[in-house]
Amino acid sequence: MAFVLRRLLHGGFVLLVMSLLVFVAVYAIGNPVDLLVDPNADAADKARTMAALGLDQPLFTQYLHFLKGALTGDLGHSFIHGTPAVTLILERMPATLELAVTALLLALVVGLPLGLWAGARKGWPAKVVEGIALLGFSLPTFWVGLALILVFAVVLGWLPPGGRGPTIEILGIDLSCLSLEGWRYLLLPAATLALFKTSLLIRLTQQGTVRALAGDAVRFARSRGLSEARIVAVHVGKPLLTSLVTVVGMEFGSVIAFAVVTETIFGWPGMGKLLIESINTLDRPVIVAYLLVTTTLFVILNLLADLACAALDPRLRLGAEETGHG
Amino acid sequence: MPMKTPRILFALLLGLALHLPVQAADLSIGLAADVSSLDPHYLNVAPNIAIASHFFDTLVTVDADSKLAPGLAESWKAINATTWEFKLRRGIKFSDGSELTTEDVVFSLNRPATLTNSPGPFTPFTKIISGKQAVDAHTLRLTTSQPYGPLPLDLSSIFIVSKKAAENASSEDFNSGKALVGSGPYTLLRFKRGESIEMARNALWWGYRDGRATQWDKVTFRLLPADGPRLAALLAGQVDAIEGAPAADLPRLKADARFHLEQRISWRTLFLQLDQYRDKSPFITDANGKALEKNPLKDARVRLALSKAIHRQALTERTLEGLGVPAANVVSPGILGHVAARKVEAYDPDGARQLLQEAGYADGFSLTLHGPNNRYINDDQILQTVAQFWSRIGVKTKVETMPLSVYFGRLRKADFSIGLLGWGSLAGDFALKNLVATPNAAEGWGAWNWGQYSNPKVDQLLHESLASVDDGKRRKLAEQTATAALGDTALIPLHHQIATWAMKKGLRATPRLDEFTFAWQFRPE
């Protein structure tokens, strides 16, 4: 419990530092009013606009004002949309999460078996799978996305080139994955986003498998005459699982981060696309809100991953070493 | 019975006619920018205005060639120097069936000033109006606080909303459609923020735009700000047409028989602004990098030399691959204040060197040229090209570009010595008021004249031009102003940009000078 609390406190500190950094950074880039106010506006118009948005105050005052609001859950209104920034983010969050989860599942479904297979068999299968993984690592996401659009949407015409298509509402959340038509829109961006993670999983699983197979546990198991399937499942699979849960938990954050590029390429109406547009227009409340929301998500997921690892492997007593009661 | 057959036949025919599927005409268009709000008075930026034009009308409209045309007002005239009278069309209905009256117009003219949280208010168009008097349900008198010629043009930017629907509405109520009650050609079906806007033909619409009624029953605008996805959407047939067809892909689209392009010179003119007030300009040194005593750009001969050194024909044909035409003005041909007699400055490197010598810069000098890298067609390359031309006459030029969000703020703070700017305006005197009038923050003059060019004669002419309510007189004065300012090389015009729309075969469009994309521009071939 103390561990969980400490982690949450730590997370809160990260949020604070993050919000301060973003504030200063966006302030340093420029003034959104310079971009938005009509060229014909006179000084009074501009001053009034600055005052209405609170931009006439010193940066420190602006930040304190923001903190005060943030404590009550109010991250301010978007300059451009006039809507609460949190609303904008939450409105788009399901799209991003759906994309990220689909991509991660795709990576698991493809990456795990391939990695296991390549790790268990030496020789050419390992080489081929390694080659595929290397390709997945080295190809830039935006290029892969564009290539997929070109092939499957433009040349073959099988899938739509972008957008989200129809969604079905479940518990107030719009989802694409509940209809075939929705999947047609989801598939390409999810595959693009999954590519890097798939490669990572292949490599991790493969190396883990090779290491486990060479280990004492497997040798003893073999000598005990256990079946190969059981060996792979228990003595290779289990140790792999804990490290995979950590990686997947951490990688989920980076999937969301990479989604920024993928969403932009596919016009997927998620948080990432919103972030890019907000950076272009210096819409600070939205930029800050996005980062705070994703950081929170990241902190929580990491925590969950740690808890899951502890559940999977009793040797990992959470916080034991840290508190010195090990 | 002989009578029966024809009757049956008739009934059959009628039945057939009724049941023949009337081909619903749908159109989908990929827009190059995000639309942030459907409240037509919330944010004064082009993408929002483009969409609002489908739902709402204005008193005065601007046609494809940027000429003023009757909108809700069928006529208007200046009664005296500060009073204008507008006659409203009769029988105009809002989409909720209620009638549009002068009361709605007055409400709409007052509304921009009440939206205090707007980051880009419409008040620059309304604040000059000091009095609004509804003479009767269809006659409106507007008084301006000083003589002001461009009032009808300004009014083409203020959308008329229903007082009843908008009175207590927030901007969010427009986005949801609740308060979105207009008299325009379309009504909202669905606004998916950041994704698309779907609209249906308004059966109660009174008229036509640009001389034609709209043909499309359902129109979907997809918001595709990034070039790649927008083009892909067209290539894959997800949209029927796109605006802002990416320059790099035009040759390919041109060669593809499945697509058709529409192009025209747009209102956007690109030019270089020069620091003309500081003695020591931040990015100018002598040829060896040492500080100069004087700022060479203050000398009109140097400014002219820099202009003469640019081969605009080569710039537009090669660097822009034909997506621009050389400019001698700050507004495009056909716009009030465009001086047709002004010749494009001829490429004359020898003459330029001669001028530099006369001005005392026989050895040239060094400077850095600044500009955006994500705003105008090939903006980065344009600056590189200009730098090469200038280096040829001994002005060693470096180029530094940056994203627009950084650039605009720094430019207006006068962080640079020379900066690239593009300007779209429907009146030359208007543009010059922002670009070359002596800066005066209180009056809003010279708001973008960061280089602080200042010429009393130009200021005087500008005042007279903007105060003329007589169109012919104003036109003449606006041209005189432009001649005076450009004759002094207050700024260096480069080119007028060419805008491109791409669409699938079988569609045609009337491209607009002001670069707006409206559904009624498109029609089947």
Side-chain angles (χ1 to χ4, degrees):
Chain A
M1 207 49 221
F3 166 78
V4 174
L5 270 178
R6 196 165 40 241
R7 284 293 291 271
L8 287 179
L9 245 133
H10 179 77
F13 179 71
V14 170
L15 289 180
L16 194 73
V17 173
M18 171 85 98
S19 62
L20 186 64
L21 279 178
V22 176
F23 243 76
V24 175
V26 178
Y27 183 79
I29 296 176
N31 181 352
V33 174
D34 275 335
L35 291 175
L36 292 170
V37 83
D38 189 84
N40 295 309
D42 58 20
D45 270 323
K46 206 178 149 188
R48 198 192 71 162
T49 304
M50 298 274 286
L53 300 179
L55 294 168
D56 55 335
Q57 305 287 321
L59 184 64
F60 188 67
T61 318
Q62 291 183 38
Y63 184 65
L64 280 186
H65 183 77
F66 159 79
L67 275 190
K68 225 187 274 166
L71 286 178
T72 62
D74 173 13
L75 298 182
H77 281 60
S78 155
F79 296 155
I80 317 295
H81 298 270
T83 328
V86 178
T87 312
L88 276 181
I89 301 282
L90 293 182
E91 204 175 81
R92 308 236 190 155
M93 196 149 125
T96 297
L97 289 184
E98 181 175 40
L99 182 62
V101 168
T102 311
L104 214 53
L105 288 179
L106 213 62
L108 280 171
V109 167
V110 177
L112 269 185
L114 268 182
L116 266 175
W117 185 65
R121 314 221 169 233
K122 298 199 181 74
W124 68 264
K127 287 254 154 47
V128 171
V129 173
E130 256 172 42
I132 293 173
L134 191 68
L135 209 64
F137 270 128
S138 35
L139 292 177
T141 312
F142 73 91
W143 186 88
V144 174
L146 289 177
L148 287 180
I149 292 176
L150 192 67
V151 174
F152 291 99
V154 175
V155 176
L156 298 173
W158 293 348
L159 297 167
R164 198 180 177 195
T167 52
I168 293 172
E169 197 182 306
I170 292 281
L171 303 172
I173 298 169
D174 287 326
L175 289 175
S176 299
C177 60
L178 298 173
S179 68
L180 194 66
E181 189 58 21
W183 267 103
R184 293 186 59 228
Y185 285 85
L186 184 56
L187 197 59
L188 285 188
T192 307
L193 194 54
L195 188 67
F196 187 88
K197 301 299 153 214
T198 311
S199 310
L200 186 71
L201 277 172
I202 290 178
R203 291 295 281 267
L204 280 175
T205 322
Q206 186 190 8
Q207 281 160 10
T209 310
V210 170
R211 213 173 318 129
L213 283 176
D216 293 339
V218 170
R219 243 184 304 144
F220 286 128
R222 284 229 169 90
S223 57
R224 273 162 64 203
L226 293 181
S227 74
E228 198 66 14
R230 196 177 150 74
I231 289 175
V232 169
V234 178
H235 297 284
V236 178
K238 240 184 156 180
L240 259 178
L241 214 54
T242 42
S243 60
L244 280 180
V245 168
T246 316
V247 170
V248 167
M250 276 176 27
E251 286 302 314
F252 192 72
S254 87
V255 169
I256 289 177
F258 269 104
V260 172
V261 180
T262 311
E263 284 176 8
T264 306
I265 294 169
F266 288 93
W268 186 263
M271 302 188 289
K273 188 164 168 273
L274 179 68
L275 176 71
I276 292 287
E277 285 154 13
S278 302
I279 290 175
N280 282 335
T281 47
L282 300 179
D283 196 349
R284 187 180 67 201
V286 180
I287 303 175
V288 175
Y290 170 89
L291 288 167
L292 291 187
V293 167
T294 44
T295 312
T296 309
L297 209 65
F298 198 48
V299 169
I300 293 174
L301 282 169
N302 263 332
L303 188 62
L304 288 181
D306 284 347
L307 293 174
C309 282
L312 283 169
D313 189 343
R315 283 176 306 177
L316 294 172
R317 290 249 189 291
L318 282 179
E321 319 85 300
E322 291 174 64
T323 48
H325 293 289
Chain B
M1 285 206 207
M3 277 301 289
K4 224 161 192 170
T5 332
R7 210 185 269 172
I8 287 170
L9 208 70
F10 182 71
L12 259 174
L13 275 174
L14 194 72
L16 258 181
L18 283 177
H19 284 97
L20 262 179
V22 179
Q23 198 63 50
D26 291 0
L27 180 71
S28 61
I29 301 172
L31 292 183
D34 193 22
V35 174
S36 66
S37 175
L38 297 190
D39 181 339
H41 300 139
Y42 176 66
L43 180 57
N44 176 14
V45 293
N48 289 20
I49 294 171
I51 292 301
S53 302
H54 289 78
F55 301 130
F56 301 96
D57 283 308
T58 48
L59 287 177
V60 179
T61 61
V62 167
D63 69 13
D65 299 320
S66 294
K67 301 272 181 285
L68 294 185
L72 290 177
E74 51 188 5
S75 68
W76 59 88
K77 61 171 189 274
I79 298 177
N80 58 45
T82 54
T83 312
W84 295 74
E85 189 173 271
F86 292 83
K87 287 274 181 205
L88 290 199
R89 242 173 253 279
R90 274 155 205 281
I92 289 186
K93 292 251 186 335
F94 281 116
S95 56
D96 66 355
S98 61
E99 190 161 344
L100 185 150
T101 66
T102 40
E103 210 183 330
D104 298 297
V105 177
V106 171
F107 171 79
S108 302
L109 293 177
N110 286 331
R111 190 165 177 266
T114 65
L115 299 180
T116 46
N117 64 339
S118 164
F122 282 87
T123 46
F125 303 117
T126 56
K127 67 190 311 174
I128 192 96
I129 305 169
S130 54
K132 308 169 188 87
Q133 188 201 352
V135 179
D136 58 49
H138 298 99
T139 312
L140 182 74
R141 277 207 186 143
L142 299 178
T143 324
T144 55
S145 51
Q146 47 180 294
Y148 186 66
L151 184 73
L153 176 62
D154 277 7
L155 289 178
S156 73
S157 294
I158 301 296
F159 293 100
I160 307 304
V161 300
S162 151
K163 182 181 177 191
K164 195 177 76 185
E167 207 162 20
N168 298 308
S170 65
S171 290
E172 211 36 52
D173 291 332
F174 280 88
N175 294 337
S176 72
K178 204 177 106 196
L180 198 111
V181 177
S183 60
Y186 287 92
T187 55
L188 179 71
L189 287 179
R190 216 140 84 100
F191 177 32
K192 290 199 234 170
R193 223 196 286 267
E195 199 178 351
S196 64
I197 298 155
E198 294 165 34
M199 46 184 83
R201 187 208 291 264
N202 174 10
L204 294 176
W205 193 45
W206 54 275
Y208 50 86
R209 293 261 174 97
D210 289 350
R212 69 174 65 85
T214 181
Q215 335 221 359
W216 311 103
D217 298 315
K218 191 183 161 207
V219 179
T220 306
F221 284 99
R222 290 179 46 86
L223 308 173
L224 301 164
D227 280 353
R230 191 165 66 255
L231 181 69
L234 176 74
L235 293 178
Q238 199 179 30
V239 295
D240 301 320
I242 58 170
E243 63 176 6
D249 299 287
L250 289 186
R252 183 187 154 186
L253 281 172
K254 233 174 231 169
D256 195 327
R258 295 174 301 158
F259 301 102
H260 171 73
L261 298 181
E262 299 275 9
Q263 296 186 300
R264 81 172 282 172
I265 297 178
S266 89
W267 63 342
R268 206 176 298 282
T269 305
L270 275 81
F271 46 83
L272 298 167
Q273 289 183 293
L274 319 151
D275 174 5
Q276 294 165 63
Y277 74 106
R278 283 172 290 202
D279 280 325
K280 292 201 162 69
S281 198
F283 287 96
I284 298 183
T285 61
D286 75 357
N288 303 315
K290 287 202 198 70
L292 278 168
E293 275 309 299
K294 260 174 35 197
N295 173 359
L297 302 179
K298 280 182 155 185
D299 191 323
R301 288 171 294 187
V302 175
R303 301 199 293 268
L304 184 60
L306 292 177
S307 184
K308 278 180 181 295
I310 301 168
H311 194 330
R312 290 174 179 76
Q313 200 71 34
L315 182 79
T316 52
E317 277 171 15
R318 309 251 176 81
T319 310
L320 283 162
E321 296 174 66
L323 293 177
V325 290
N329 278 278
V330 283
V331 286
S332 293
I335 290 178
L336 181 139
H338 175 95
V339 189
R342 272 192 64 81
K343 289 226 161 52
V344 173
E345 197 68 62
Y347 175 55
D348 179 11
D350 295 331
R353 268 186 226 107
Q354 181 72 32
L355 279 168
L356 282 184
Q357 200 168 1
E358 282 169 26
Y361 298 98
D363 298 332
F365 54 94
S366 304
L367 60 82
T368 306
L369 192 51
H370 288 86
N373 54 20
N374 58 353
R375 175 67 168 180
Y376 314 115
I377 298 172
N378 296 356
D379 38 17
D380 193 52
Q381 294 95 311
I382 289 169
L383 291 176
Q384 298 291 353
T385 311
V386 170
Q388 284 184 28
F389 284 130
W390 285 356
S391 295
R392 278 189 208 170
I393 60 161
V395 178
K396 273 193 242 163
T397 309
K398 277 189 297 206
V399 171
E400 199 186 317
T401 60
M402 57 202 78
L404 186 76
S405 52
V406 181
Y407 179 70
F408 265 10
R410 290 191 62 188
L411 184 76
R412 296 187 77 175
K413 276 192 286 180
D415 270 3
F416 310 130
S417 291
I418 300 188
L420 175 74
L421 189 63
W423 203 263
S425 182
L426 294 184
D429 48 3
F430 236 65
L432 292 172
K433 173 190 151 191
N434 284 307
L435 297 170
V436 302
T438 306
N440 175 344
E443 279 185 67
W445 282 55
W448 285 77
N449 183 10
W450 60 269
Q452 296 192 20
Y453 172 78
S454 178
N455 181 341
K457 191 183 159 204
V458 168
D459 291 348
Q460 179 59 34
L461 281 167
L462 263 179
H463 270 285
E464 286 174 29
S465 176
L466 287 167
S468 311
V469 292
D470 176 82
D471 216 41
K473 203 175 138 205
R474 180 171 161 221
R475 191 170 293 273
K476 221 160 145 192
L477 282 162
E479 291 187 14
Q480 282 174 17
T481 318
T483 308
L486 293 168
D488 203 14
T489 325
L491 40 78
I492 301 176
L494 293 177
H495 60 272
H496 307 294
Q497 204 164 280
I498 286 182
T500 309
W501 288 260
M503 59 213 72
K504 66 178 188 191
K505 202 181 154 216
L507 268 187
R508 283 287 184 270
T510 313
R512 289 180 63 92
L513 181 67
D514 55 18
E515 291 190 24
F516 277 120
T517 302
F518 298 141
W520 49 90
Q521 287 167 258
F522 294 88
R523 59 185 183 277
E525 202 173 352

